[in-house]
Amino acid sequence: IDSAGHLRFAVFPREDTGQRRIGRIVQRLCEIETYKSMSMLGFSRAKEMSGQMGGLEQRLTNLIGDISETEAPETLDELLGISARLEGLSAKASFRFGATKAYQAIVDQRISVLREERYGARQTFAEFMMRRYDPAMRTVASTEKRLQSLADRAMRAGELLRTKVDVARSAQNQSLLESMDKRADLALRLQETVEGLSVVAISYYAVSLAGYLFYPFSEAFGMSKGMLLAILTLPVVAAVWFMVRQIKARMH
């Protein structure tokens, strides 16, 4: 690489090499350099994202460790912020990383069609690219996998948090059902008490009415009013109780 940042290739063809063959070689070398430069844009993007991903990864790790201890709303807000940042990074880098893969495939294909043979003990062009170019492409692929892994971890953290919220909600529902069951039991007892009082009240008025109804007959048998009411009380109470039970059975 010269002072201006350009690469210089020297091609020394054999005397019997045709002009078209030389032209194809030069064209492939130019294509290799062009697509190599384009693919290195993904490497620059990967280096820019490395620091941001490191901070987000640390925050996500701490957040996952604190899920069982912190309140769900606070954790959820922070998790949403991390997920939004990761989605933003993924959206910005997805096109560049995809293009880098395509350019890398073109570079590898152009190198393979050169059909190199080792000259003496000299390094081949493919070996030079393997040492100087492939590590950058592996870095891009590693960054893409790391970004996807962080997004998956954030998704799993969201599922854990959702499970925690569901468990807490189930516990609240269980407590609510228990309190409702207790209230229903109290309401049933109150209803039974009211039914008993209703039987007493209705029986009181029914005995009074029956006393007025049968009082003329008591004089024929020489009974007092008190004796008549005493005789009528038990059957009237039984009849009222039976009537209330029948009404209750029809309602159920």
Side-chain angles (χ1 to χ4, degrees), residues 66-230:
D66 296 339
I67 281 181
S68 59
E69 301 177 0
T70 56
E71 293 294 332
E74 299 177 0
T75 308
L76 181 59
D77 291 340
E78 188 172 359
L79 181 60
L80 288 176
I82 295 175
S83 299
R85 292 285 303 278
L86 290 174
E87 287 297 328
L89 291 177
S90 179
K92 292 179 181 178
S94 60
F95 173 78
R96 179 50 55 195
F97 287 165
T100 296
K101 290 181 181 179
Y103 294 142
Q104 180 188 5
I106 295 175
V107 170
D108 294 339
Q109 192 270 340
R110 294 297 188 272
I111 293 175
S112 65
V113 297
L114 288 175
R115 299 191 297 274
E116 291 184 277
E117 295 180 2
R118 186 177 299 279
Y119 179 74
R122 294 183 178 275
Q123 184 182 43
T124 63
F125 185 72
E127 292 174 345
F128 172 82
M129 294 295 287
M130 180 182 66
R131 297 183 58 186
R132 300 297 182 91
Y133 175 71
D134 288 353
M137 296 299 98
R138 286 195 292 268
T139 300
V140 175
S142 175
T143 301
E144 185 178 11
K145 291 181 180 179
R146 183 184 179 190
L147 182 59
Q148 183 61 42
S149 176
L150 286 176
D152 293 340
R153 288 178 61 189
M155 183 180 298
R156 290 193 297 269
E159 293 176 354
L160 287 175
L161 187 59
R162 190 179 302 111
T163 302
K164 179 182 178 181
V165 172
D166 291 341
V167 170
R169 186 179 301 166
S170 298
Q172 293 177 355
N173 292 338
Q174 182 66 27
S175 177
L176 179 61
L177 289 175
E178 290 178 356
S179 63
M180 291 176 63
D181 185 62
K182 291 180 181 179
R183 287 196 296 267
D185 185 59
L186 292 175
L188 180 59
R189 294 181 181 180
L190 180 60
Q191 181 181 357
E192 292 176 350
T193 302
V194 172
E195 289 177 0
L197 295 175
S198 300
V199 170
V200 173
I202 296 173
S203 299
Y204 175 77
Y205 288 106
V207 169
S208 300
L209 293 175
Y212 286 114
L213 179 62
F214 290 98
Y215 185 71
F217 300 98
S218 65
E219 295 181 352
F221 293 96
M223 271 188 217
S224 64
K225 186 176 181 180
M227 180 63 69
L228 177 64
L229 293 178

